[in-house]
Amino acid sequence: MVAGSIEVMHRNMHSNGIQNHNGLEEKLDELRRVLGKADGDLLRIAGVGAGAWGSVFAALLQDGYGQFRDRVQIRIWRRPGKAVDRATAEKLFEVINSREDVLRRLIRRCAYLKYVEARLGDRILYADEILKDGFCLNMIDTPLCPLKVVTNLQEVVWDADIVVNGLPSTETREVFEEISNYWKERITVPIIISLAKGIEAALEPVPHIITPTQMINRATGVPIENILYLGGPNIASEIYNKEYANARICGAEKWRTPLAKFLRQPHFIVWDNSDLVTHEVMGGLKNVYAIGAGMVAALTNESATSKSVYFAHCTSEMIFITHLLAEEPEKLAGPLLSDTYVTLLKGRNAWYGQMIAKGELSLDMGDSISGKGMIQGVSAVGAFYELLSQPSLSVMHREENKAVAPVELCPILKTLYKILIRREQKPQAILQALRDETLNDPRDRIEIAQTHAFYRPSLLGQP
């Protein structure tokens, strides 16, 4: 029996001791049929990028389907050479020794000694090395199952049937441009599932948003109907610890329906939806306002009143922006607010805002933070501000009775831009943005959006 399979078997047992695959074998065989896999031909799934969510996603698949080694292969790529500092190695050692199942697993695999040596400073661990043992550098406190890690990008993707993009949006284009070089000889077209939440702005030929799925499409030439987005209100570590969660996989019906069924687990419900780009953009938008929420929490000593005032203002701005981006924005209210809520509670963007406001992090440290990964909201602040400040998108300001750029009706977005991108103001400025000297009810902003023909399909690259 291979290391780690004891844990898998335990998860798949009824309380009466009868083994139960929860229909996993049937779901795997059904997806294989949809993809036209012959007997003896492995279904190859490749994760690209090993941040918290990318690693958890691969681990969920490995836990569920890894036992069917004759039918599916699950591997994950991450760049080699990322050293684990001694403080993290010491923390990792504490986590290992607090979990008897993990400790026994490492001893069986003859891997425990290297963690002892790393704690003592006698050797250096590397991120790809510990990932093989089930430790994600951005999520040390949550041990995963052992993963099959590949550090050569060409090796992991060249014949993959399904590629899962776990990269930050800021790295997606570059990596998939490299991947496209390895796919020039391919006969079959792969399916790509993107987990990335972030956007870029482009101003030509008209101002528009570029999402990770669009970046992948342009970099590789893979048709957009073969590229899907999966997202939802979830925290990676809690999903792996089997907290009940849900997500949506968005894209063409041909693939999203069978993939939703394949990915669904008793504790992780996956719905499917046709609205790819808009859900993707909403995933990036909530990160913007999560940073501000973290700042407000830190600056007011977690004042419930201040946080609720901020929530009223930020949700009104998000609703205002969705009316620009979506023809039927009311359909997005639930997913957007739930995703925003979980990010405010425990997401890395809210944490980053807190640390910046407390002075425990500085903007000069960049937006890739050790132990947390990429803070996607920073680049999203710049992208949304740049887009919504374009005069060609002007809307009528009821109070001033003149046309203004949409960003002029989004004071929190403007303030975050001045703090994070221009660095003209200190984090304390976010509190001033809440003290609306015009005495306008946040509801007024929503009414403005609802009573005007705001929808700008060009923003999402549509005619």
Side-chain angles (χ1 to χ4, degrees), residues 118-248:
R119 180 181 72 93
L120 297 172
D122 293 340
R123 70 163 289 174
I124 295 175
L125 295 170
Y126 292 92
D128 57 286
E129 175 186 12
I130 68 172
L131 188 62
K132 293 176 182 177
D133 293 325
F135 301 107
C136 171
L137 189 58
N138 294 344
M139 200 175 53
I140 291 297
D141 290 324
T142 305
L144 309 173
C145 64
L147 294 172
K148 296 174 182 177
V149 181
V150 179
T151 56
N152 182 299
L153 183 59
Q154 180 176 6
E155 178 185 341
V156 79
V157 302
W158 76 274
D159 62 348
D161 300 294
I162 299 173
V163 175
V164 179
N165 175 34
L167 296 162
S169 60
T170 48
E171 298 177 19
T172 293
R173 177 183 284 104
E174 177 186 356
V175 173
F176 275 86
E177 284 176 349
E178 182 179 349
I179 288 173
S180 70
N181 294 325
Y182 310 138
W183 284 348
K184 289 179 179 177
E185 306 294 322
R186 280 193 73 129
I187 298 173
T188 59
V189 180
I191 297 168
I192 301 169
I193 303 171
S194 180
L195 310 178
K197 294 181 176 180
I199 69 159
E200 290 182 358
L203 302 181
E204 300 293 340
V206 295
H208 63 282
I209 288 169
I210 303 174
T211 66
T213 59
Q214 292 170 333
M215 296 175 200
I216 293 168
N217 167 251
R218 296 174 188 182
T220 63
V222 171
I224 200 68
E225 57 263 28
N226 275 51
I227 308 175
L228 303 101
Y229 164 72
L230 186 140
N234 44 59
I235 300 296
S237 60
E238 294 182 350
I239 290 177
Y240 194 72
N241 287 328
K242 298 202 178 324
E243 296 287 341
Y244 180 80
N246 56 61
R248 280 180 180 81

Side-chain angles (χ1 to χ4, degrees), residues 427-439:
Q428 288 77 6
I430 198 71
L431 298 182
Q432 190 59 41
L434 299 184
R435 300 185 178 107
D436 188 354
E437 296 177 358
T438 64
L439 304 180

Side-chain angles (χ1 to χ4, degrees), residues 105-408:
R105 186 179 79 200
L106 292 175
I107 291 172
R108 282 198 309 270
R109 292 164 63 97
C110 300
Y112 180 66
L113 183 58
K114 68 184 179 186
Y115 293 96
V116 177
E117 294 174 340
R119 180 181 72 93
L120 297 172
D122 293 340
R123 70 163 289 174
I124 295 175
L125 295 170
Y126 292 92
D128 57 286
E129 175 186 12
I130 68 172
L131 188 62
K132 293 176 182 177
D133 293 325
F135 301 107
C136 171
L137 189 58
N138 294 344
M139 200 175 53
I140 291 297
D141 290 324
T142 305
L144 309 173
C145 64
L147 294 172
K148 296 174 182 177
V149 181
V150 179
T151 56
N152 182 299
L153 183 59
Q154 180 176 6
E155 178 185 341
V156 79
V157 302
W158 76 274
D159 62 348
D161 300 294
I162 299 173
V163 175
V164 179
N165 175 34
L167 296 162
S169 60
T170 48
E171 298 177 19
T172 293
R173 177 183 284 104
E174 177 186 356
V175 173
F176 275 86
E177 284 176 349
E178 182 179 349
I179 288 173
S180 70
N181 294 325
Y182 310 138
W183 284 348
K184 289 179 179 177
E185 306 294 322
R186 280 193 73 129
I187 298 173
T188 59
V189 180
I191 297 168
I192 301 169
I193 303 171
S194 180
L195 310 178
K197 294 181 176 180
I199 69 159
E200 290 182 358
L203 302 181
E204 300 293 340
V206 295
H208 63 282
I209 288 169
I210 303 174
T211 66
T213 59
Q214 292 170 333
M215 296 175 200
I216 293 168
N217 167 251
R218 296 174 188 182
T220 63
V222 171
I224 200 68
E225 57 263 28
N226 275 51
I227 308 175
L228 303 101
Y229 164 72
L230 186 140
N234 44 59
I235 300 296
S237 60
E238 294 182 350
I239 290 177
Y240 194 72
N241 287 328
K242 298 202 178 324
E243 296 287 341
Y244 180 80
N246 56 61
R248 280 180 180 81
I249 188 163
C250 304
E253 183 177 6
K254 177 181 179 182
W255 300 122
R256 73 173 193 263
T257 302
L259 284 170
K261 187 173 182 180
F262 177 72
L263 297 172
R264 191 174 297 132
Q265 298 185 16
H267 69 284
F268 183 57
I269 303 304
V270 180
W271 300 309
D272 65 282
N273 190 279
S274 62
D275 198 348
L276 169 66
V277 174
T278 315
H279 276 88
E280 208 175 1
V281 172
M282 294 305 102
L285 181 60
K286 54 89 181 175
N287 286 335
V288 168
Y289 291 94
I291 295 178
M295 291 178 176
V296 170
L299 293 169
T300 64
N301 196 27
E302 298 288 344
S303 161
T305 299
S306 295
K307 289 193 289 187
S308 67
V309 170
Y310 178 83
F311 192 72
H313 282 280
C314 81
T315 51
S316 72
E317 288 191 18
M318 286 192 287
I319 292 169
F320 175 82
I321 292 170
T322 59
H323 277 74
L324 288 166
L325 298 174
E327 190 170 14
E328 298 179 303
E330 60 280 354
K331 291 183 178 180
L332 297 169
L336 176 60
L337 291 178
S338 60
D339 210 353
T340 302
Y341 181 63
V342 77
T343 305
L344 301 192
L345 286 176
K346 204 174 179 180
R348 74 182 73 175
N349 287 278
W351 171 87
Y352 178 78
Q354 287 187 318
M355 295 299 103
I356 290 292
K358 290 177 179 179
E360 296 181 25
L361 292 176
S362 74
L363 296 175
D364 291 334
M365 297 171 68
D367 50 7
S368 182
I369 306 299
S370 177
K372 289 289 183 178
M374 183 63 66
I375 309 300
Q376 298 275 26
V378 177
S379 61
V381 166
F384 276 109
Y385 180 91
E386 188 174 15
L387 281 170
L388 300 182
S389 62
Q390 297 305 306
S392 61
L393 299 174
S394 291
V395 298
M396 185 58 65
H397 192 300
R398 288 198 306 186
E399 296 295 321
E400 299 183 11
N401 197 30
K402 66 177 183 180
V404 298
V407 77
E408 296 302 322

